[in-house]
Amino acid sequence: MKIAVLVSGRGSNLQALIKNLHGFDVEIVGVVSDNEDAPALKHARTADIPTASFAEASYDGREARDLAIADWLDENQAELVVLAGYMALLSDSFVARFRDRIINVHPSLLPAFPGTRAVEMAVAAGVKVFGVTVHLVDEGIDTGPILLQRAVELDGYSDPTEIHQILQKIEHELLPEGVRLMADGAVSRDPANPQRLIIER
Ligand code: GRF
């Protein structure tokens, strides 16, 4: 399966995808960023993967930017779009164009703590079990059907940076696993409850 990865930052999840999947059954045909200075783009270039950046300021709004990204993804024949630390919201028309073909990794056990400050919110709420979710992307903020989740008990931890580092190790396993399941065609929606995904391993 040909996939594209959208990034905004460091790119440790992108590195995990390159290391675990790229060149096997999965080909990363492009890496796209909303930020031309994202360190993640360097990882892509090192692996000889085409990159492109689309700053919102260069377009007449987010909708126009997302249209340009979508056209680039189609030109590069991406069948699946993987959000790996992509911090911009995607417009509804982008989500509709790639319906059920966008996945995201999020550092909480959704539906708890959606949004950009998930770990900080979990710490503030005093939770003792943290976790990671890989999910399909719909029009909401981190509301799409859940593909994979893994919990980790971190009683006594209160430093969001330290907790996030622990969660990222889980992300680096769970996101490639989620992509592999999508590439294998192993994921479908439960007809009785379309919010629930059925996985046939
Ligand atoms: C990850 O923690 C992910 O859950 C969140 O953004 C972070 C990206 O990290 N959506 P990296 O750029 O892959 O290192």
Side-chain angles (χ1 to χ4, degrees):
M1 174 182 257
K2 293 181 194 300
I3 71 166
V5 185
L6 270 56
V7 295
S8 298
R10 214 158 58 90
S12 67
N13 280 286
L14 172 64
Q15 279 184 293
L17 293 169
I18 292 172
K19 182 165 163 246
N20 292 299
L21 297 179
H22 185 51
F24 299 96
D25 292 343
V26 171
E27 184 192 356
I28 303 176
V29 294
V31 173
V32 168
S33 184
D34 56 335
N35 164 20
E36 63 180 3
D37 298 321
L41 291 173
K42 293 198 193 91
H43 300 312
R45 290 189 199 109
T46 304
D48 280 331
I49 297 168
T51 62
S53 49
F54 298 83
E56 193 175 337
S58 310
Y59 295 89
D60 189 13
R62 186 158 52 91
E63 187 92 18
R65 187 266 300 275
D66 286 359
L67 183 61
I69 295 177
D71 287 344
W72 192 91
L73 296 175
D74 275 344
E75 276 160 30
N76 285 276
Q77 300 178 333
E79 297 162 279
L80 178 73
V81 179
V82 181
L83 309 186
Y86 186 68
M87 302 313 284
L89 282 178
L90 288 167
S91 52
D92 288 359
S93 52
F94 184 100
V95 173
R97 186 158 155 182
F98 292 94
R99 175 76 61 205
D100 287 354
R101 295 194 292 135
I102 312 172
I103 69 172
N104 181 44
V105 60
H106 183 78
S108 79
L109 294 172
L110 291 171
F113 314 121
T116 53
R117 299 184 60 76
V119 179
E120 287 84 348
M121 286 195 295
V123 170
V127 305
K128 300 190 187 303
V129 176
F130 295 78
V132 170
T133 302
V134 174
H135 64 98
L136 293 185
V137 172
D138 65 10
E139 285 80 356
I141 296 176
D142 301 322
T143 53
I146 291 167
L147 181 55
L148 295 169
Q149 288 186 306
R150 194 182 299 165
V152 55
E153 190 178 338
L154 295 173
D155 194 3
Y157 287 73
S158 59
D159 176 4
T161 306
E162 188 182 1
I163 293 166
H164 198 208
Q165 278 168 1
I166 294 167
L167 295 179
Q168 281 222 298
K169 292 205 184 92
I170 298 175
E171 292 182 348
H172 300 161
E173 293 178 13
L174 224 54
L175 185 59
E177 188 184 338
V179 172
R180 198 173 287 125
L181 289 170
M182 296 293 287
D184 288 348
V187 182
S188 59
R189 286 184 187 251
D190 180 349
N193 173 9
Q195 186 68 14
R196 181 174 170 269
L197 297 179
I198 298 171
I199 298 172
E200 287 167 44
R201 290 178 198 266

